[in-house]
Amino acid sequence: MARIDRVLRSNLKLRHLQMLVALDQFRHLGRAAEFLSVTQPAVSKTLAEIERMFGLPLFDRSTRGTEPTAAGLSVVRFARSVLAGYDRTRAEIAAEASGASGRTSVGAMVVATPVLLAQAVERLKARSIHTSVLIEEGDLTRLLPKLRLGELDLFVGRLEPGYASPDLETEALYAEPMAVVVQPGHVLVRKRKPQWADLAALPCVMPPPWASLRVKLDQMFFAHDLHPPADIVESASFLTQLSFVHQRGAVAFMARSVAQHFAAQGMLAVLPLAVPIDLPPVGLITLRGQKPTPVTEQLIDCIRQVAGSRKKPRARP
């Protein structure tokens, strides 16, 4: 244990960490060498040097490439966390030196990006136009690991209860019901009272099968004695939803505020059909015990202001 502690605290250099992350990313000595602009023998030599430090193999080598061992996965996680902190500190110092106010990185779900986060960033920019905000879109399965590694400062999206954890700090902001959308001019727009049977007969863009929302939407069709749509595309991406809504005349389900935002721009039409399902609130997730940077604190404050200015709908529309 003392040996490993000494290696992690003193012996590992930045170049070691960068190489470990590159090897984990490419799983191939040659491709990692090309990415790092060094020779393949140099990568092999550095890896052997690191493994001698730990007294453990970190990557298994074969003709097909490299694969991290259990110890290697732990060291790679450490390397990613240190490099994320290094990048953040470097950006903050550079921002201060240039007169800017800093940088923050946010993981966001589609439910929060077009309205809540966009308006919050606008408020933040009004305070300091040179503040930089990196936004990475995705779902909890993809973004929470990045938050834990320090690659993201903040998550904004639905607070799915299944992802609650002692290392995470959550803050609910408001309830956000779903809406049914189609392209402007769609046949259902002309229908005064569209029904779930109308949706079941049309192409639909549905959430991925592992999403809790997908299960609840399927249950809505079953509750109306209907089979869920057979002609479907599965995606959580807004761009995919929008593409198939327009290209195939498909029906899609999205957060009401997002649907209304794009309907106001003439890109979508919101159908007068309630989607009475219980959904987790939209909120914030940060890493417990880690003090946010000043610019992240400012962004969180802006997000709270935007959320507070909304009329908070009930969970059941």
Side-chain angles (χ1 to χ4, degrees):
M1 183 65 71
R3 176 179 185 172
I4 293 174
D5 185 64
R6 185 175 65 254
V7 173
L8 293 176
R9 287 177 179 272
S10 307
N11 294 2
L12 281 180
K13 305 295 188 291
L14 195 62
R15 64 183 177 86
H16 295 146
L17 301 178
Q18 291 168 332
M19 193 215 66
L20 288 169
V21 170
L23 266 180
D24 181 57
Q25 181 176 345
F26 295 104
R27 303 292 172 98
H28 191 276
L29 290 168
R31 286 196 286 273
E34 183 180 354
F35 174 77
L36 295 169
S37 299
V38 297
T39 64
Q40 183 169 327
V43 171
S44 297
K45 181 180 177 182
T46 303
L47 178 57
E49 176 187 340
I50 299 170
E51 289 178 325
R52 279 197 302 274
M53 291 181 195
F54 282 98
L56 292 167
L58 301 182
F59 283 85
D60 292 325
R61 289 81 146 174
S62 71
T63 55
R64 291 176 296 179
T66 59
E67 191 73 23
T69 63
L73 287 172
S74 297
V75 176
V76 166
R77 279 195 297 271
F78 170 79
R80 288 187 182 277
S81 178
V82 172
L83 290 175
Y86 168 81
D87 287 341
R88 186 189 305 108
T89 303
R90 182 181 60 179
E92 288 171 2
I93 294 172
E96 290 296 333
S98 66
S101 296
R103 179 178 182 271
T104 187
S105 54
V106 187
M109 293 174 67
V110 176
V111 66
T113 309
V115 182
L116 174 64
L117 189 55
Q119 292 179 13
V121 170
E122 189 64 27
R123 291 186 183 220
L124 181 66
K125 288 286 190 178
R127 299 180 184 184
S128 175
I129 196 170
H130 296 294
T131 297
S132 176
V133 182
L134 183 149
I135 299 171
E136 185 166 346
E137 237 179 41
D139 56 28
L140 281 163
T141 57
R142 181 167 175 268
L143 297 176
L144 282 188
K146 290 177 174 284
L147 181 68
R148 287 186 164 109
L149 286 171
E151 295 176 3
L152 295 172
D153 299 306
L154 172 68
F155 169 84
V156 190
R158 288 200 187 274
L159 303 180
E160 295 282 355
Y163 290 88
S165 175
D167 66 327
L168 300 176
E169 193 85 49
T170 62
E171 178 182 344
L173 296 173
Y174 56 85
E176 179 68 90
M178 299 299 294
V180 185
V181 299
V182 292
Q183 66 178 324
H186 192 280
V187 62
L188 290 184
V189 175
R190 299 190 293 273
K191 195 162 186 175
R192 193 167 65 88
K193 289 187 177 181
Q195 303 296 320
W196 284 87
D198 299 318
L199 309 188
L202 292 170
C204 282
V205 186
M206 300 287 281
W210 43 260
S212 61
L213 176 59
R214 172 63 177 278
V215 175
K216 292 175 181 179
L217 287 173
D218 284 347
Q219 288 171 345
M220 284 300 303
F221 285 100
F222 292 134
H224 289 83
D225 296 322
L226 300 165
H227 285 289
D231 183 354
I232 62 171
V233 172
E234 299 172 320
S235 178
S237 161
F238 171 75
L239 183 58
T240 301
Q241 289 178 314
L242 191 62
S243 297
F244 284 98
V245 161
H246 283 269
Q247 291 177 16
R248 299 204 67 235
V251 174
F253 302 87
M254 62 181 60
R256 181 185 289 172
S257 65
V258 175
Q260 291 171 339
H261 173 76
F262 288 103
Q265 298 181 26
M267 298 172 65
L268 294 170
V270 181
L271 296 182
L273 178 64
V275 187
I277 57 180
D278 287 318
L279 292 169
V282 173
L284 308 174
I285 301 179
T286 53
L287 209 53
R288 191 183 298 275
Q290 181 170 303
K291 182 175 173 57
T293 62
V295 66
T296 302
E297 284 186 329
Q298 287 213 38
L299 179 59
I300 290 173
D301 181 55
C302 292
I303 290 172
R304 287 172 178 153
Q305 288 180 19
V306 174
S309 67
R310 292 170 49 94
K311 181 182 178 181
K312 299 183 180 180
R314 297 199 311 256
R316 291 184 179 272

